[in-house]
Amino acid sequence: MPCSISLTFISPKLLYHQKGRRPSVSMMANSISTSLVGFKNLMETYTLDIHRAEGRKLNVPLIAPFTIATSRVERVENVAIRVELSNGCCGWGEAPVLPFVTAEDQDIALTKAGEACDFLKNYHGMSLGHVLTEVGQLLPGHHFASVRAGVEMAVIDAVATSIGTPLWRFFGGVSNTITTDITIPIVSPTEAGQLALKYYKQGFKTLKLKVGKDLNADIEVLQAIRMAHPHCLFILDANEGYTSSEAIQVLEKLNGLDLMIGGMVETRLAMGFAGHLAAGLGAFKFIDLDTPLLLSEDPVLEGYEVSGPTYKFSNARGHGGFLHWDNIACLR
């Protein structure tokens, strides 16, 4: 039963981080420095002049409730962030909010995003690197990591848009496509088998299975999925649901670990940014950027193209996707 595993008692969401932590883009730049030489140079040489910055609630219903070991999600309740430079170029970011994983709830995330946006509007003529450092100090540690990630997305997207470069080239240019897995939440064996068959027909070859509530039930679900999709690869995600001894038992049964990139429950704003990063770097064997496929609505206009599990990024500047900002109620 070939598989990778994401147990998330030490979660590998974006590169790696402990509970509730989401590494900053600047941290990732340092982690894979050989692929981001251009990005690191731009951190020092590009001077930012931010004209506007704002955060708003971003609420989107799911097709069906999303159950993991530690929580149940009915809808996306994130925070969208928009940054506009003095030259008119805009960047977009998204701060995810997921109960029991991120430290912030939506109201706290919106408040902290507002504070970061006020900071950005009051400072001019700073280098990109200095701005990201200041944002990191304003939103330190894991308590505000999701907001920090969203603000960084918006700033970097604005810069990439300003210099006329798509993000996947900005991050290394290895490829302009990725192939994602798709997630099966904690459901009955029958439901899991039905979903696996559905995703098999859509072309998904890797299934990420939420586990961790009941080890025996997990095994039954795995067996049902294997019957419906005999040749799929598995990623097991316990979301801190396994004990240390249970996690070791599972790890002892595997054929090796590779680098994986994933996210929270996000729209195509954040998933697109992560997808650009994965495509540009070309460093991830397992890609878990499927949550936009689980939403009943797509608030993001343009952006990457989707064909089953494959995402294709164009040569549009920056992220390539955006929101109708005026259609999002300003609830600050």
Side-chain angles (χ1 to χ4, degrees), residues 147-161:
V147 179
R148 185 170 67 247
V151 173
E152 288 181 336
M153 287 180 209
V155 171
I156 292 173
D157 184 27
V159 171
T161 300

Side-chain angles (χ1 to χ4, degrees), residues 26-43:
S26 51
M27 287 169 60
M28 290 189 286
N30 292 328
S31 298
I32 316 179
S33 59
T34 55
S35 297
L36 294 179
V37 173
F39 175 75
K40 292 184 72 175
N41 287 338
L42 206 62
M43 292 265 285

Side-chain angles (χ1 to χ4, degrees), residues 216-235:
N216 292 327
D218 293 343
I219 293 171
E220 292 180 6
V221 167
L222 284 165
Q223 291 171 338
I225 291 174
R226 178 57 77 211
M227 290 291 293
H229 197 333
H231 304 295
C232 70
L233 297 176
F234 286 129
I235 296 174

Side-chain angles (χ1 to χ4, degrees), residues 5-68:
I5 192 161
S6 163
L7 296 177
T8 40
F9 52 92
I10 299 180
S11 167
K13 289 299 181 186
L14 279 175
L15 296 186
Y16 48 82
H17 63 296
Q18 293 179 345
K19 179 180 178 182
R21 295 190 179 185
R22 187 179 185 85
S24 66
V25 175
S26 51
M27 287 169 60
M28 290 189 286
N30 292 328
S31 298
I32 316 179
S33 59
T34 55
S35 297
L36 294 179
V37 173
F39 175 75
K40 292 184 72 175
N41 287 338
L42 206 62
M43 292 265 285
E44 300 173 0
T45 60
Y46 189 93
T47 300
L48 278 167
D49 189 1
I50 296 175
H51 180 56
R52 292 190 180 94
E54 186 180 3
R56 297 185 184 180
K57 289 185 176 182
L58 179 60
N59 298 330
V60 187
L62 291 165
I63 295 172
F66 188 74
T67 303
I68 63 176

Side-chain angles (χ1 to χ4, degrees), residues 184 188-201 224-225 228:
I184 295 179
S188 69
T190 299
E191 291 173 295
Q194 291 171 345
L195 287 172
L197 180 60
K198 171 186 173 182
Y199 296 145
Y200 168 75
K201 292 178 179 178
I225 291 174

